Amino acid sequence: MEAFLAIVHNMVMLIGIVYIAQFVTGIFNWPGRQNNVVYRLFGFLLSPVTKAVRFITPAKIADKHVPVVAFAMLFWLYIILIAARLYVKRPELFQ
């Protein structure tokens, strides 16, 4: 169980880092970010996560806000996974 949580934890962290990298890449040329090859590559890598979040979010959330919601969900999942890994490793801390 500990190895599974470690793998999921690292995958969530990697996806979060790619979201941050896409944002930083977009900052350099905000109006023309959709024409940037690196920005589009990050978008391609993140498209499964963004589509999954779009599926579970209400329709009132605009499409341009879905990556922000996805990053927020990944952040809280990351925090929960830290607590879960800590609980598996040292359950006496939760008594």
Side-chain angles (χ1 to χ4, degrees):
M1 183 66 167
E2 188 176 335
F4 174 74
L5 286 174
I7 291 170
V8 172
H9 182 254
N10 288 327
M11 289 296 293
V12 168
M13 182 175 57
L14 178 66
I15 294 168
I17 289 171
V18 174
Y19 267 116
I20 292 170
Q22 184 184 29
F23 176 70
V24 170
T25 304
I27 285 176
F28 290 120
N29 186 12
W30 194 257
R33 67 187 183 276
Q34 294 298 336
N35 297 330
N36 188 334
V37 176
V38 176
Y39 186 87
R40 288 181 25 217
L41 174 66
F42 287 145
F44 174 73
L45 293 174
L46 294 171
S47 63
V49 177
T50 306
K51 287 178 184 175
V53 171
R54 174 77 266 177
F55 181 73
I56 63 173
T57 53
K60 286 188 175 187
I61 296 178
D63 285 339
K64 66 181 180 179
H65 299 303
V66 171
V68 177
V69 173
F71 182 77
M73 292 175 86
L74 285 170
F75 173 77
W76 287 111
L77 180 60
Y78 183 76
I79 299 299
I80 291 168
L81 286 169
I82 289 173
R85 287 184 70 190
L86 193 58
Y87 180 75
V88 168
K89 262 189 177 176
R90 302 205 33 209
E92 68 272 5
L93 294 175
F94 292 87
Q95 293 181 8

